[in-house]
Amino acid sequence: MKPAAFEYHAPTTLAEAVGLLARLEDEGCDAKILAGGQSLMPMLAMRVARPDALVDLGRVPGLDHIRLEDGQIAIGAMASKRAAELSPLVRERQPLFHAATRLVGHQQIRNRGSVGGSFAHADPASEYPAVALVLDMEMVATGPEGERVIPAAEFFVTYMTTALEPGEILTELRMPVLPAGAGWAIREVSRRSGDLALAGVALTLRLDAGRCTDVRIAAFGVGATAIRLTAAEDALNGAAPSADSFARAGAIAAASLAEPMSCIHATADYRRHLVRTLLERSLADAAARAG
């Protein structure tokens, strides 16, 4: 299929893009932001999305940086996933985000797809929302009223819906560097390599005097958004890292998923099973990396 007709706009500054979105909204025009286009363009082609206008950010400078600022890694929303994958800063200082990036699609998709575009798309089966929850990331949005910072816990609202207001543009993502001695892990199951996950987990933890501490776990691909598994976190904090404690946390995590998604590819029960198994294995990975 081919996309339905739409107006195309290519602003050359961020202020122009924000003003253009405001004008289009005032005119009652349904406008979509085009970043890398790896999610939006297929939706347009299948007419799942039928906006009146596209605002292409490809010519707006200053949105593709990857740098260390005030102890945080700041990634411009238009930075490609491939750039994040190849960044020594991301690889060495935030390996969980780096590993998650390598799981996104295939290299050709990562070459074009933007980091910010994935966050704004908010697919619950993608890796980034779960990693954002685990790392307490911050999203910077720029709109007619200026700039505001949105915590990850408030950013993902429901299925493919974020806290971005009409007329706002996601411009930057901020994440902490991984503390010394912390362990991390991310695992997922998909039908084929590069497909969206049927289920997955991401986590970080530390070991203190032989006990797990600061455990943060999130699951993706099981609900309308990524989900913090707080009951499993509570069960692990203060526990010795062992096969038994990891199995107990996995069982608690699976039981805490009240209504996992169910589809032709994976039933709710199968997704519970995947979360349980992936969490057990991921905890072993993270414990091995800790210290």
Side-chain angles (χ1 to χ4, degrees):
M1 295 183 67
K2 295 182 179 179
F6 57 82
E7 296 178 12
Y8 175 77
H9 302 273
T12 56
T13 67
L14 182 58
E16 182 185 354
V18 171
L20 180 59
L21 286 172
R23 177 174 67 79
L24 291 171
E25 182 185 0
D26 289 342
E27 294 173 356
C29 182
D30 177 25
K32 295 287 186 185
I33 295 173
L34 175 63
Q38 297 302 289
S39 298
L40 180 58
M41 295 310 294
M43 294 175 70
L44 291 174
M46 293 184 289
R47 302 203 177 188
V48 175
R50 302 184 62 168
D52 300 316
L54 288 186
V55 178
D56 188 349
L57 299 182
R59 299 181 187 179
V60 177
L63 297 179
D64 60 354
H65 55 274
I66 300 177
R67 59 195 179 217
L68 190 65
E69 290 183 351
D70 300 324
Q72 291 185 309
I73 298 173
I75 300 182
M78 287 295 287
S80 71
K81 298 180 184 74
R82 184 65 170 160
E85 178 183 358
L86 295 177
S87 166
L89 173 63
V90 176
R91 183 180 66 249
E92 296 166 11
R93 304 298 297 274
Q94 191 40 265
L96 175 58
F97 191 87
H98 178 261
T101 300
R102 288 180 55 83
L103 290 173
V104 177
H106 303 282
Q107 182 175 320
Q108 293 88 338
I109 291 173
R110 297 194 295 274
N111 284 341
R112 291 290 303 169
S114 66
V115 174
S118 286
F119 277 82
H121 188 57
D123 193 314
S126 66
E127 298 81 5
Y128 281 160
V131 171
L133 292 179
V134 168
L135 298 180
D136 262 344
M137 290 179 62
E138 295 177 336
M139 290 64 173
V140 181
T142 303
E145 304 302 319
E147 188 177 277
R148 70 182 179 114
V149 178
I150 310 169
E154 300 173 11
F155 186 77
F156 303 102
V157 177
T158 185
Y159 184 74
M160 291 186 174
T161 304
T162 71
L164 290 171
E165 297 289 346
E168 284 189 325
I169 297 174
L170 181 62
T171 51
E172 188 176 79
L173 307 124
R174 298 171 182 169
M175 69 191 82
V177 300
L178 191 73
W184 61 272
I186 182 169
R187 283 180 178 254
E188 67 181 32
V189 170
S190 58
R191 295 179 65 226
R192 297 167 300 186
S193 176
D195 282 2
L196 288 169
L198 298 177
V201 296
L203 63 94
T204 59
L205 58 76
R206 291 194 308 107
L207 297 180
D208 185 6
R211 300 281 174 173
C212 297
T213 186
D214 294 338
V215 182
R216 297 181 63 88
I217 307 168
F220 55 99
V222 295
T225 63
I227 303 168
R228 278 284 300 277
L229 301 177
T230 54
E233 294 172 357
D234 293 342
L236 278 167
N237 277 314
S242 67
D244 287 343
S245 63
F246 296 162
R248 184 168 60 255
I252 291 171
S256 70
L257 299 174
E259 296 182 2
M261 293 190 297
S262 185
C263 67
I264 60 172
H265 302 304
T267 64
D269 285 342
Y270 182 52
R271 283 188 160 94
R272 284 194 187 92
H273 168 75
L274 288 179
V275 167
R276 178 174 184 164
T277 303
L278 291 171
L279 180 53
E280 289 183 38
R281 296 175 182 178
S282 296
L283 286 167
D285 294 341
R289 291 183 176 117

